[in-house]
Amino acid sequence: MPSPFFYIFAAMMLSGGLMVIFMRNPVSSALSMVLSFLGLAGIFIGLNAYFVGILQILVYAGAIMVLFIFIIMLLDVKDEESHPRKGLAITAGVLIPVALIIQLAGVILTDDKSPSAPPLTLEAAAADYKQESVIHKKLSNGSLPDVHLIGRKLFTEYNFPLQVIAVLLLVATVGCVALSKKSSAPKDGAKPDKG
Amino acid sequence: MPTPSINEYLIISGLLFAIGLGGVIIRRNIIVIFMCLELMLAAASLTLVAFSRFNVTDKGLPDYDGQMLVFFIITVAAAEVAVGLAIIVSLYRARQSIHTDELTSLRG
């Protein structure tokens, strides 16, 4: 049985995804989404992408899930019991993804010899970095300095996209404030609420 | 111990995307639809990280361009969720509902 962890995490991710759809209570859906992303983070770590895996846990389980649950509780949404499910939507929602999967499997199964992950040669890669740098030391010790390498790339090659992302976050913040502010000019003369 | 091949990563990524797509079509609650959109984004990230690991550069390190893209996807997704939830809150204030069946004012 090759690499059981991969299958454990993949099963966790896919079952979490299915539970997001089939749970009727939105809070359960949000928690299933976190289960799914924990499995995904495990797969990322199995792919030697430690930084991205940790980032996935921090951002999704730490920030986005809390935001979702906060909004669900703030809005006090009733269950979907009063809304009968529509047969057409369920049929389309099953058929279209299944068609997608069949297409994908058809493409992938034509390739009967798919490669395994090529090995990383960390000691050889160390020669490209300065002798006294952290990256060089860690690489020659045989460990992958994932965060250092990503940080180096982020602040050199990807510096401009980083600045653009900063502006995007600012715009999103301003947009959130503008959207959630109650309009100061009520139309029908009612007194505006505080907040 | 043999590691999984690239096809297995692509298959589970496609499955996760299909699950997200099915959720967007089936569910009527707009918050759950949002969560399913997040699942679809995560499936794309999984593909990118898998390609990053399988495309080892000449130096013998993973190709970090894919992981940079995932970094930006996560950032944009966080901003998108914040704005989207703000829109949902103001929608709920206006309509007292977040069910897509009842939000028909854009219907022609």
Side-chain angles (χ1 to χ4, degrees), chain A residues 39-51:
Chain A
L40 184 66
I43 293 176
F44 281 169
I45 288 172
L47 280 167
N48 296 87
Y50 311 109
F51 177 68

Side-chain angles (χ1 to χ4, degrees), chain A residues 18 21-22 85-101, chain B residues 15 17-28 36:
Chain A
L18 284 175
I21 303 182
F22 292 116
R85 300 212 161 190
K86 294 208 173 143
L88 181 65
I90 292 181
T91 317
V94 172
L95 283 186
I96 295 175
V98 165
L100 192 74
I101 285 298
Chain B
L15 280 173
F17 188 88
I19 289 171
L21 181 63
V24 169
I25 298 173
I26 291 174
R27 292 300 298 254
R28 301 270 79 116
C36 294

Side-chain angles (χ1 to χ4, degrees), chain B residues 9 40 59 68:
Chain B
Y9 286 105
M40 289 160 79
K59 296 183 197 169
M68 298 309 307

Side-chain angles (χ1 to χ4, degrees), chain A residues 33-118:
Chain A
M33 187 184 76
V34 171
L35 176 75
S36 177
F37 285 141
L38 287 181
L40 184 66
I43 293 176
F44 281 169
I45 288 172
L47 280 167
N48 296 87
Y50 311 109
F51 177 68
V52 174
I54 296 298
L55 204 64
Q56 186 85 15
I57 294 178
L58 284 182
V59 172
Y60 281 102
I64 290 186
M65 185 269 284
V66 174
L67 207 58
F68 270 116
I69 289 188
F70 178 70
I71 295 297
I72 291 167
M73 296 193 171
L74 186 74
L75 298 188
D76 188 27
V77 187
K78 286 162 235 78
D79 276 349
E80 289 184 37
E81 303 293 336
S82 53
H83 297 261
R85 300 212 161 190
K86 294 208 173 143
L88 181 65
I90 292 181
T91 317
V94 172
L95 283 186
I96 295 175
V98 165
L100 192 74
I101 285 298
I102 290 174
Q103 267 187 332
L104 182 71
V107 171
I108 284 180
L109 292 181
T110 54
D111 173 26
D112 47 341
K113 191 168 67 64
S114 80
S116 241

Side-chain angles (χ1 to χ4, degrees), chain B residues 27-66:
Chain B
R27 292 300 298 254
R28 301 270 79 116
N29 186 334
I30 228 171
I31 295 181
V32 180
I33 289 179
F34 233 93
M35 291 177 199
C36 294
L37 284 179
E38 294 300 314
L39 289 183
M40 289 160 79
L41 278 177
S45 308
L46 175 57
T47 317
L48 285 170
V49 174
F51 280 133
S52 142
R53 175 65 183 81
F54 280 75
N55 182 24
V56 169
T57 54
D58 303 336
K59 296 183 197 169
L61 293 175
D63 189 351
Y64 277 105
D65 287 330

Side-chain angles (χ1 to χ4, degrees), chain A:
Chain A
M1 179 77 185
S3 56
F5 281 115
F6 171 76
Y7 295 103
I8 292 171
F9 284 127
M12 201 166 137
M13 182 180 87
L14 295 179
S15 58
L18 284 175
M19 275 154 69
V20 171
I21 303 182
F22 292 116
M23 291 285 182
R24 307 216 97 182
N25 188 349
V27 177
S28 321
S29 286
L31 293 176
S32 318
M33 187 184 76
V34 171
L35 176 75
S36 177
F37 285 141
L38 287 181
L40 184 66
I43 293 176
F44 281 169
I45 288 172
L47 280 167
N48 296 87
Y50 311 109
F51 177 68
V52 174
I54 296 298
L55 204 64
Q56 186 85 15
I57 294 178
L58 284 182
V59 172
Y60 281 102
I64 290 186
M65 185 269 284
V66 174
L67 207 58
F68 270 116
I69 289 188
F70 178 70
I71 295 297
I72 291 167
M73 296 193 171
L74 186 74
L75 298 188
D76 188 27
V77 187
K78 286 162 235 78
D79 276 349
E80 289 184 37
E81 303 293 336
S82 53
H83 297 261
R85 300 212 161 190
K86 294 208 173 143
L88 181 65
I90 292 181
T91 317
V94 172
L95 283 186
I96 295 175
V98 165
L100 192 74
I101 285 298
I102 290 174
Q103 267 187 332
L104 182 71
V107 171
I108 284 180
L109 292 181
T110 54
D111 173 26
D112 47 341
K113 191 168 67 64
S114 80
S116 241
L120 301 176
T121 53
L122 299 178
E123 283 83 356
D128 287 354
Y129 296 96
K130 271 189 253 159
Q131 196 77 31
E132 65 271 19
S133 65
V134 181
I135 297 180
H136 181 90
K137 278 179 199 145
K138 290 212 171 165
L139 280 176
S140 38
N141 284 339
S143 66
L144 182 65
D146 191 54
V147 182
H148 292 90
L149 287 167
I150 287 185
R152 191 188 168 92
K153 214 170 176 77
L154 187 62
F155 288 104
T156 54
E157 276 178 60
Y158 286 84
N159 202 8
F160 180 66
L162 187 71
Q163 312 287 336
V164 174
I165 279 289
V167 176
L168 177 79
L169 285 178
L170 179 69
V171 170
T173 314
V174 174
C176 284
V177 173
L179 278 172
S180 29
K181 204 161 76 76
K182 285 206 170 169
S183 68
S184 50
K187 288 180 199 105
D188 49 3
K191 275 195 175 178
D193 290 342
K194 285 270 168 68

